[in-house]
Amino acid sequence: MDEISLGVPKPVLERLPADDEVAGTDMQEAVAGWEQRLNQAVDDADDDREAAARVLEAIDRFEQRHETYDDLVPELRAWGQSPIYAIAWRTLYADVIAQLYAHDDLGEHLDRERNARLVEDGIRMQDL
């Protein structure tokens, strides 16, 4: 499997307040760290299926974080606070997930692994 390359989309960085350069740097460092850990997980995997399983675990965590930030947006607005950072991080998580699915043949492996998990979970549920 080819090396994974991730980045912070320019529109996400452009939406951040102009006087705050720290948030953009934090996002870029976070994405670089995720990229490094994902590539290490793929390299350590015995085959493409195991690699896809490891990446899918990361995607599951990204989806949970996306939902957390999504839940924060209306709460921040209700308290009269700006949700710009929550929106930016929510958008970043969604974009990273999309980048992973768009990466060469990784998306196909991820779909197969997700479907295998659904079938496996369904079989386990029927055994109860």
Side-chain angles (χ1 to χ4, degrees), residues 6-22:
L6 301 172
V8 179
K10 190 175 180 181
V12 171
L13 295 174
E14 290 172 349
R15 288 185 192 149
L16 295 171
D19 61 341
D20 184 1
E21 295 179 20
V22 176

Side-chain angles (χ1 to χ4, degrees), residues 21-119:
E21 295 179 20
V22 176
T25 303
D26 288 347
M27 288 181 164
Q28 290 170 331
E29 289 175 3
V31 170
W34 300 335
E35 179 182 298
Q36 180 184 9
R37 286 191 297 273
L38 286 168
N39 280 317
Q40 186 63 48
V42 168
D43 288 343
D44 292 346
D46 293 332
D47 57 20
D48 285 350
R49 181 168 184 204
E50 184 180 344
R54 291 178 180 199
V55 173
L56 193 55
E57 289 171 8
I59 288 174
D60 289 342
R61 287 191 304 274
F62 293 155
E63 287 174 343
Q64 290 171 350
R65 292 176 186 165
H66 176 271
E67 289 175 20
T68 299
Y69 281 107
D70 195 45
D71 292 342
L72 279 174
V73 171
E75 188 173 327
L76 287 168
R77 285 186 176 141
W79 285 98
Q81 302 294 318
S82 172
I84 191 66
Y85 294 107
I87 292 170
W89 280 97
R90 176 189 67 185
T91 305
L92 177 63
Y93 281 114
D95 193 86
V96 167
I97 292 168
Q99 288 178 50
L100 289 169
Y101 272 98
H103 187 272
D104 296 330
D105 62 339
L106 182 59
E108 185 178 313
H109 289 291
L110 292 171
D111 287 338
R112 269 191 257 147
E113 181 62 26
R114 191 173 293 270
N115 288 336
R117 287 183 182 187
L118 289 172
V119 169

